[in-house]
Amino acid sequence: MEPSPLELPADTVQRIASEIGCHPTDERVALRLDEEDELKHFRDYFYMPKMRDLPPIDLSLVNKDENAIYFLGNSLGLQPKMVKTYLEEELDKWAKMGGYGHEVGKRPWITGDETILGLMNDIVGANEKEIALMNGLSVNLHLLLLSFFKPTPKRYKILLEAKAFPSDHYAIESQLQLHGLNVEESMRIIKPREGEETLRIEDILEVIEKEGDSIAVVLFSGLHFYTGQLFNIPAITKAGQAKGCFVGFDLAHAVGNVELHLHDWGVDFACWCSYKYLNAGAGGLAGAFIHEKHAYTIKPALVGWFGHELSTRFKMDNKLQLIPGVNGFRISNPPIFLVCSLQASLEIFRQATMKALRRKSILLTGYLEYMIKHYRSNDRAETKKPVVNIITPSSIEDRGCQLTLTFSAPMTYVFQNLGKRGVVCDKREPDGIRVAPVPLYNSFHDVYKFISLLSSVLDSAETKK
Ligand SMILES: *Cc1c(COP(=O)(O)O)cnc(C)c1O
């Protein structure tokens, strides 16, 4: 039977179980979901770590030759197999022709970043002139704030969410200090309601409505790194702009995870990194977006030679011809080796498409959620067993692939024992473990195995006490 497009993940799981004639938590359901997964072949485009190579592994608990359960794509995406080939192409070119490599080959080094812009635009929903690939994420955030944050005595605040990523928090703090502003007064942080983990959109919109006249920039993450909450980017953008604020987003955890339409949503500016869901390797080439409506009005505060028009850049006459828009914000020549790894990954995204990836992701994470809720459906009566709580919002529109879990057992114990069994995920203070099944390379069977390993860890936590 064909699934209806509106079917919820839990309903899909139950439908398949009844088709097979087994319990929804049966392994056969995971295997059937994998069989029906049209994106399953993309897993072979990546190197999947093996149990034996993981530093915390306990080889008495696992088969050393099995694949790890890699749920850490939210922190560092896996390596696409083509990375090495592309790196070798550029190393080879460098060895054989030295400086001529700037102008020739598949990726002339001078325009290396530009050769892959066309692979990035669909992922963020922008046209090529609105995006630049440069620097690291925090650097790009600073460069954008230098141009978008122009405080006046009346409008001087930056609005952000509570527990923003430390780098973003420090970037904002230091930008305020750069303008001689009092951080306490100018950094407007929205917290969840008492007893709640995530923010309500109505509370965000209310602060913007009430205080918008004093806010210069609204700067939110697209998807919160700790809670996994996906913010309503178009609603926040519209509300902020209606009050005369610039609205920008740090998309570190949203890019390559959820569908984005930065141009159509009218977002003023955005930035992201490429080593999380975009799989470009640690320290990968980051991205920046400035909406085309600002192409001729918002100028870079700091300029370098790669912001100069290409046609006259090498005349070296020191008369700046600034490229309009975000590409004028580029300062240095592009790091070609970082271009290679990003290209290898973006080509896979191009084939898979964000639309199909998101469709699978909703089901994959929905299946994980279903299994967590039912992981002990057989012995729920035994109430002494440790409880798993999901702090990520349960509705599909309010999350990406990541779920953040808390436990009634000590988090460090759970985390260490998952690590010994080959589950790669991460822990974040105060008490959360983040798990991110990534639709490009994770399978439904990975989720199934994770649940059985988690169960055995929680059982052992129980018996230890
Ligand atoms: C991962 C992440 C960063 C990391 O910044 P880098 O400059 O790439 O080191 C910053 N902000 C957010 C929200 C992140 O998720």
Side-chain angles (χ1 to χ4, degrees):
M1 197 168 62
E2 271 295 297
S4 115
L6 295 174
E7 192 178 57
L8 289 169
D11 296 333
T12 307
V13 172
Q14 279 162 354
R15 173 175 57 78
I16 288 180
S18 78
E19 279 170 24
I20 303 174
C22 66
H23 193 269
T25 60
D26 194 286
E27 186 172 13
R28 283 173 288 173
V29 173
L31 296 172
R32 173 68 67 87
L33 285 165
D34 278 332
E35 235 170 69
E36 291 181 0
D37 171 14
E38 286 167 4
L39 304 179
K40 59 175 175 283
H41 58 289
F42 287 110
R43 184 177 171 100
D44 294 334
Y45 291 36
F46 294 87
Y47 290 109
M48 181 62 71
K50 299 277 184 211
M51 294 287 188
R52 58 172 178 261
D53 295 319
L54 305 174
I57 202 76
D58 179 342
L59 288 175
S60 71
L61 296 171
V62 297
N63 172 352
K64 66 178 174 35
D65 298 320
E66 260 189 47
N67 288 327
I69 309 300
Y70 196 85
F71 279 178
L72 193 62
N74 56 330
S75 179
L76 190 91
L78 289 178
Q79 184 185 137
K81 290 180 179 166
M82 284 306 283
V83 169
K84 206 176 268 177
T85 307
Y86 290 174
L87 283 172
E88 277 170 0
E89 285 170 4
E90 297 313 315
L91 285 168
D92 213 44
K93 201 164 92 183
W94 181 22
K96 288 184 175 148
M97 62 173 85
Y100 290 107
H102 282 307
E103 320 233 349
V104 303
K106 213 163 120 185
R107 304 168 198 89
W109 300 333
I110 289 171
T111 52
D113 56 336
E114 296 172 35
T115 62
I116 59 168
L117 282 177
L119 294 168
M120 181 63 90
N121 53 357
D122 283 348
I123 296 175
V124 295
N127 66 50
E128 281 182 40
K129 292 209 159 121
E130 292 173 311
I131 51 180
L133 299 170
M134 57 185 187
N135 312 312
L137 166 56
S138 306
V139 174
N140 288 343
L141 183 56
H142 271 302
L143 295 179
L144 290 164
L145 282 175
L146 284 173
S147 294
F148 280 93
F149 181 53
K150 302 276 190 200
T152 65
K154 280 200 174 143
R155 197 185 274 281
Y156 56 91
K157 290 185 203 160
I158 298 180
L159 181 74
L160 68 156
E161 80 275 17
K163 293 193 191 151
F165 195 89
S167 203
D168 302 45
H169 191 97
Y170 305 148
I172 291 171
E173 227 169 33
S174 57
Q175 289 273 340
L176 294 169
Q177 284 161 348
L178 194 62
H179 289 281
L181 290 163
N182 176 312
V183 170
E184 198 116 308
E185 283 167 21
S186 312
M187 201 167 178
R188 177 63 172 93
I189 297 174
I190 310 188
K191 295 196 180 104
R193 291 186 191 183
E194 193 66 37
E196 296 185 8
E197 300 276 1
T198 52
L199 282 165
R200 298 192 193 195
I201 182 69
E202 64 264 31
D203 292 354
I204 300 171
L205 299 182
E206 190 186 308
V207 172
I208 294 174
E209 177 58 33
K210 279 198 181 143
E211 300 177 37
D213 294 336
S214 63
I215 296 168
V217 171
V218 175
L219 180 63
F220 259 68
S221 61
L223 194 141
H224 194 275
F225 80 98
Y226 178 70
T227 64
Q229 177 177 21
L230 171 61
F231 293 111
N232 188 331
I233 298 176
I236 294 171
T237 302
K238 201 160 155 245
Q241 289 172 348
K243 282 294 194 173
C245 321
F246 283 127
V247 184
F249 289 89
D250 181 330
L251 302 172
H253 284 264
V255 69
N257 180 12
V258 296
E259 287 184 85
L260 297 167
H261 304 282
L262 297 180
H263 177 87
D264 290 347
W265 292 337
V267 168
D268 291 300
F269 68 95
C271 48
W272 57 92
C273 57
S274 63
Y275 47 84
K276 293 170 181 167
Y277 297 107
L278 293 185
N279 317 309
L285 190 59
F289 163 91
I290 295 179
H291 199 280
E292 72 181 0
K293 65 191 168 193
H294 300 307
Y296 293 91
T297 47
I298 300 282
K299 303 256 162 87
L302 302 173
V303 176
W305 67 324
F306 270 66
H308 186 119
E309 289 285 0
L310 179 61
S311 55
T312 51
R313 187 178 304 155
F314 301 102
K315 272 189 168 178
M316 311 305 243
D317 61 3
N318 294 353
K319 295 199 184 96
L320 178 67
Q321 280 186 286
L322 187 69
I323 303 172
V326 71
N327 277 284
F329 282 60
R330 292 175 306 163
I331 294 177
S332 291
N333 74 95
I336 194 64
F337 300 114
L338 299 187
V339 170
C340 291
S341 58
L342 183 55
Q343 179 180 359
S345 176
L346 295 186
E347 284 175 349
I348 305 173
F349 275 91
R350 167 58 50 93
Q351 285 182 51
T353 74
M354 273 313 299
K355 206 179 176 71
L357 285 167
R358 176 67 171 148
R359 204 183 312 125
K360 171 175 171 184
S361 177
I362 287 170
L363 183 57
L364 190 61
T365 293
Y367 175 56
L368 173 62
E369 180 184 39
Y370 185 90
M371 291 292 276
I372 288 171
K373 287 187 174 160
H374 291 79
Y375 86 108
R376 274 169 185 188
S377 50
N378 298 336
D379 51 16
R380 224 190 250 149
E382 291 179 49
T383 48
K384 273 193 226 143
K385 303 238 167 191
V387 180
V388 185
N389 175 38
I390 303 174
I391 67 173
T392 307
S394 58
S395 77
I396 288 162
E397 316 79 79
D398 297 330
R399 71 182 186 200
C401 72
Q402 171 190 324
L403 294 183
T404 306
L405 313 178
T406 58
F407 304 91
S408 60
M411 179 258 274
T412 306
Y413 178 85
V414 177
F415 178 71
Q416 282 174 352
N417 282 280
L418 284 172
K420 285 181 189 174
R421 290 163 174 81
V423 175
V424 188
C425 56
D426 69 8
K427 67 174 162 69
R428 281 285 177 266
E429 299 302 331
D431 56 0
I433 286 183
R434 304 187 299 173
V435 285
V438 169
L440 262 181
Y441 48 71
N442 283 124
S443 64
F444 292 88
H445 200 244
D446 285 343
V447 172
Y448 178 82
K449 286 198 278 192
F450 168 75
I451 293 295
S452 73
L453 292 169
L454 179 65
S455 276
S456 71
V457 168
L458 292 175
D459 284 342
S460 72
E462 221 266 315
T463 44
K464 259 193 80 134
K465 264 192 240 156

